[in-house]
Amino acid sequence: MATGRQGRPKATILPGERMRMDLSITIAGVKFPSCFMNASGALCMTREELLALGRSRSGAIVTKSMTVEPRDGNPEPRYYGFPGGSINSMGLPNLGYRAYAELIPELKQFGKPVIASIAGLCEDDFLTMARVINQARPDLIEVNLSCPNIPGKPQIAYDAADAERLLKRVRPLITVPMGVKLPPYFDPAHHAVMAEVIGRGHVDYLNLINSVGNGLVIDPTRDRPVIKPKGGFGGLGGALIKPVALANVRAFWKLLGGRVPIIGTGGVVQGLDAYEHVLCGASAVQVGTVLVEEGVGVFERLERELAAELNARGPRSLEATRGKLQEL
Ligand code: DHB
């Protein structure tokens, strides 16, 4: 096997070569035609954006996190991309759950899973949305416990007791597979507590991680932050958060014994990043920043690059790679 500069297998893509590699995956009994899909928040708010995801090679259509009432979100500028990643404080702009409930049947016609992301502003909001969205029959419902951008509303999943109480109330209302999107944790003690909450919560999959909350990016030529809301504080995404995302995927994979499938989100820019998420235990990966920067054509590039990485290692299947990170 050819090895690259750092001794890792070199993934070469010859011009015109087709990498035959099965990148489909299954989560909670739901088949995804590709392991790559959009992260909630990236090009998935409007009907047009969701239809474009349907027509693209995205392995699923993930909706923008919805709230009970439609929202315009925070004042602009509220997203900023830079070479290392991105910062956003969108403030949950979305069409409101009734609109997404109506859209779901249309989105299902693309023959790929539809994941409806719900984000209440209070506990009862989650219950209200869960009842109606469940009736619209998305393939999966993702309970977002980790929005960092609403002034005065802390991320629910940073309080284990709040998170557990909410999951206990919402779970009985959802009859499709239910996932939970968590924020990053930075201490093994927090991983352990939350893994227990998830273990008791009848959670069908985990999505790790939401943006790294409340970073600050400054434009030094103007002595001011690059985004307006919350004094410039916002969620970080993109390449710079990959190590945090990988650590969270790995920690939860180990603590849960690989029994709860994980969607790895954070820092996936190239096929190799996705390979690393899978090594840590991810079944699928989502892309946010790079999707916003590149558009829906990114899925084809990522598939090609991941196939090349897998082919350079054997070929090795996704399943044979999952969780197989070696430890020193
Ligand atoms: C927003 C950001 C998030 O990270 C999230 O999980 C939900 C919403 C937002 O600002 O719109």
Side-chain angles (χ1 to χ4, degrees):
M1 187 190 305
T3 53
R5 234 182 318 156
Q6 292 164 349
R8 67 175 172 80
K10 200 160 119 199
T12 44
I13 308 170
L14 302 176
E17 182 185 6
R18 272 191 58 98
M19 290 290 174
R20 271 186 300 276
M21 175 63 72
D22 180 13
L23 297 182
S24 68
I25 53 105
T26 301
I27 291 176
V30 178
K31 178 118 195 229
F32 293 66
S34 161
C35 65
F36 290 103
M37 69 196 84
N38 70 295
S40 180
L43 304 188
C44 59
M45 184 184 95
T46 64
R47 173 172 177 266
E48 291 68 31
E49 287 174 333
L50 292 162
L51 294 176
L53 285 167
R55 289 188 295 267
S56 78
R57 288 196 64 88
S58 180
I61 305 173
V62 186
T63 71
K64 170 70 182 167
S65 287
M66 61 192 79
T67 53
V68 169
E69 298 305 329
R71 289 172 61 87
D72 292 333
N74 290 337
E76 296 185 353
R78 58 192 187 181
Y79 171 90
Y80 183 82
F82 51 98
S86 68
I87 184 167
N88 84 81
S89 181
M90 305 302 289
L92 277 166
N94 78 97
L95 307 176
Y97 79 110
R98 297 173 190 89
Y100 294 108
E102 276 184 25
L103 272 172
I104 286 167
E106 185 179 7
L107 298 177
K108 284 181 74 172
Q109 290 174 9
F110 288 99
K112 58 174 95 169
V114 174
I115 303 182
S117 172
I118 60 174
L121 299 182
C122 64
E123 215 172 285
D124 285 349
D125 283 1
F126 281 93
L127 311 183
T128 303
M129 291 189 282
R131 284 189 190 94
V132 173
I133 293 296
N134 189 65
Q135 281 182 346
R137 308 309 293 168
D139 297 277
L140 309 99
I141 293 179
E142 187 163 291
V143 179
N144 181 356
L145 299 184
S146 47
C147 174
N149 295 335
I150 306 299
K153 304 269 182 205
Q155 292 172 68
I156 298 164
Y158 280 150
D159 185 314
D162 282 357
E164 179 146 31
R165 195 181 57 244
L166 172 53
L167 290 179
K168 219 175 183 157
R169 292 183 72 197
V170 79
R171 176 70 267 195
L173 306 177
I174 296 177
T175 57
V176 300
M178 183 191 83
V180 172
K181 182 133 179 211
L182 291 178
Y185 299 95
F186 301 93
D187 193 290
H190 296 160
H191 291 137
V193 168
M194 284 310 296
E196 291 197 3
V197 169
I198 296 301
R200 288 191 291 268
H202 305 282
V203 172
D204 295 305
Y205 77 91
L206 274 181
N207 189 336
L208 304 167
I209 56 174
N210 209 315
S211 55
V212 175
N214 296 292
L216 180 61
V217 175
I218 294 174
D219 175 353
T221 68
R222 302 166 109 182
D223 289 359
R224 63 185 208 189
V226 294
I227 58 170
K228 181 180 169 88
K230 286 181 69 179
F233 285 33
L236 302 171
L240 82 169
I241 73 164
K242 185 175 78 169
V244 177
L246 293 177
N248 276 272
V249 171
R250 189 65 184 161
F252 280 94
W253 170 260
K254 287 175 83 168
L255 285 163
L256 294 164
R259 287 183 297 274
V260 178
I262 295 173
I263 299 181
T265 306
V268 175
V269 177
Q270 300 179 13
L272 182 60
D273 305 318
Y275 179 80
E276 291 177 3
H277 267 276
V278 176
L279 269 185
C280 290
S283 294
V285 293
Q286 294 186 343
V287 287
T289 300
V290 80
L291 171 58
V292 172
E293 298 296 327
E294 252 178 81
V296 295
V298 73
F299 295 112
E300 204 209 322
R301 173 177 71 75
L302 289 169
E303 279 183 78
R304 206 175 344 108
E305 290 174 357
L306 176 58
E309 296 293 345
L310 294 167
N311 276 319
R313 290 164 173 80
R316 194 187 296 146
S317 68
L318 275 179
E319 197 169 336
T321 305
R322 189 177 318 129
K324 296 288 168 43
L325 181 70
Q326 312 249 343
E327 296 191 9
L328 303 177

